[in-house]
Amino acid sequence: MTADIQLLQCLRTTLTQVGESDAPSVQEALLGAADLVLNELIHRQDRDFYLDHYQSGCELAKEGLNLLGNDNANLSVSLPAQLPVDVSSEKIKQQSELLFKYLVEIVDRLPTSGEEQTADYLERMTDWEVNLYARQVATAPQPAQEVMENVVITRDRFEAYLKNKFPEWTNLSITSFTPISGGFSKSTILVDTQDDVNGEQSLVIRALQGTHIIEHDAGNIINEYPVVKLAFDCGSPVAEPLWLEDDEKVFGVHFFVSRRAKGEILGTAAGATAPLTDAIVEDLISVLAKLHNINLADHQKVVDNTILDKWYSLGSMQENTREWIKYWRTQAEECGAVNSPLIERGLRWLEDNIEECMEKPVLVHGDYGLHNILIENEKVEALLDWEGTRAGDPAEELSWLLACLGGYLDANKALKLYEKKADNRKISEFRLRYFQVFDCIKMPIVCIASLKAFENQLDNIQFAILGLRFMHHNSRQLNEAIRLAEKAKDIGL
């Protein structure tokens, strides 16, 4: 089945879902997603653009061969031929896939830094690939927030569950039961209850959804819950975790329940959707520093019995980062992202430029951005969605926050503010810049993995949306990120 037919079949299913839903927010999100997919299908009919892009890629391949010199033998993919002007769109697609693999082999044999001529070539090749992704978003509509609904946990079934689990909560009833937008591997449901013992309560259910894009150690609710509890017990702003339901027989999924925190989400992974202030940004960094300052050695028993041990036991930040990049290369290989010369270039550069750092890894949230933070009165009230949590380098987390702030705060100011809030914990500029390079390929890997997941689940348009919408956002910054990182490394910052 071709990719175009897959998208068309998904559109048919999506329009059916619109008709079956009685929730305006769900209908709006699904129609917005359908609009984005239609936009992509229209673009794919522009055969001339893709033919020109292919031909210019062939010229880059020939130039790469010349740069390799004597090292150009035994490439496993033959240099793709020029195509006639009347070639079919399907043939262009097939040949383009071969061209990408050919360019990946060239990247794999070239040095990641050093010679000016090679650096210039790699930058132009990156721009060539980014230009392809830019077309996907040039005129694309911006759909509403994704909506994922878990139909396994229903209002009536959850009320019966609570009455059975807490028989002392007499006259218990659920007064509100609302699945909320967002989430791929987890679903979130807001629940209001009333009973004679507790009065009114506002709770949140976080349940495993059965779908995933990237494998995370804390992707399983059972692994996520104890880390959330540790963060809460150590004073981080986390909605109070109340209990974990690890008996899958109850609803067929694992879930945990927490108290509901107040506040609003002020942005997405691409930037703010509401006005930010210096006070908000300062508190974001202050909360981040406090999280990183949790001494995991003081909680060794918890660490030993959670997924934190896998990363904390590596010992040094340097070794931790080395294993982290290996992990992402494995993820890229599994979803086919290594067929991208841009991603291969980024991974090679990261593997060759790990900074020596013997500090111990710290507790990191894993996706510390505006889309996962509730803010009220310019203060962080709660950190949401801990499925990416692990022990790692605080520089990675600060880098991702800056990316999610969309340029509101520059790197040097962020480093100074973080150092002040983190009791003089120092992060070198190079380490921060290093992870900015990582950010430029992490999201594209996720996007490609999302499109891969879409192939196996055509009734879920959210996977197609993530893959089509965000490829360009981070990848377009790779050239600049590498330049800034190498500059910081050269002058020892």
Side-chain angles (χ1 to χ4, degrees), residues 185-186 206 214-220 223-225 227-228 291 307-308 311 324 327-328 362-368 372 384-393 396-397 400 438 442:
S185 62
K186 307 292 195 316
R206 181 163 168 79
I214 293 290
E215 294 286 351
H216 288 298
D217 294 328
N220 188 318
N223 293 335
E224 181 180 1
Y225 180 81
V227 182
V228 173
L291 174 67
I307 49 90
L308 295 176
W311 298 99
W324 189 229
Y327 163 87
W328 276 91
V362 303
L363 177 61
V364 297
H365 173 275
D367 195 4
Y368 191 88
N372 282 326
L384 312 175
D385 191 357
W386 287 71
E387 71 177 18
T389 188
R390 66 185 190 97
D393 192 326
E396 178 190 352
E397 194 127 87
W400 184 238
F438 172 72
K442 177 177 71 172

Side-chain angles (χ1 to χ4, degrees), residues 266-372:
L266 301 184
T268 69
T273 55
L276 297 178
T277 65
D278 290 347
I280 291 174
V281 173
E282 182 171 345
D283 199 55
L284 285 167
I285 292 182
S286 180
V287 167
L288 188 63
K290 184 176 180 180
L291 174 67
H292 295 165
N293 276 351
I294 293 174
N295 189 347
L296 291 178
D298 292 342
H299 305 275
Q300 195 66 52
K301 185 176 180 179
V302 176
V303 172
D304 290 344
N305 290 282
T306 65
I307 49 90
L308 295 176
D309 180 61
K310 171 183 175 181
W311 298 99
Y312 189 67
S313 62
L314 291 171
S316 70
M317 215 86 79
Q318 181 180 5
E319 190 58 30
N320 186 284
T321 297
R322 192 182 315 281
E323 291 302 312
W324 189 229
I325 301 305
K326 285 183 183 178
Y327 163 87
W328 276 91
R329 178 172 281 283
T330 298
Q331 295 297 312
E333 289 171 349
E334 290 181 353
C335 70
V338 286
N339 292 329
S340 156
L342 179 152
I343 290 174
E344 178 62 22
R345 179 195 176 198
L347 285 170
R348 283 279 317 285
W349 188 93
L350 290 166
E351 290 162 347
D352 289 350
N353 288 277
I354 299 171
E355 182 180 72
E356 182 177 344
C357 180
M358 302 312 294
E359 296 175 25
K360 291 284 289 182
V362 303
L363 177 61
V364 297
H365 173 275
D367 195 4
Y368 191 88
L370 293 171
H371 54 298
N372 282 326

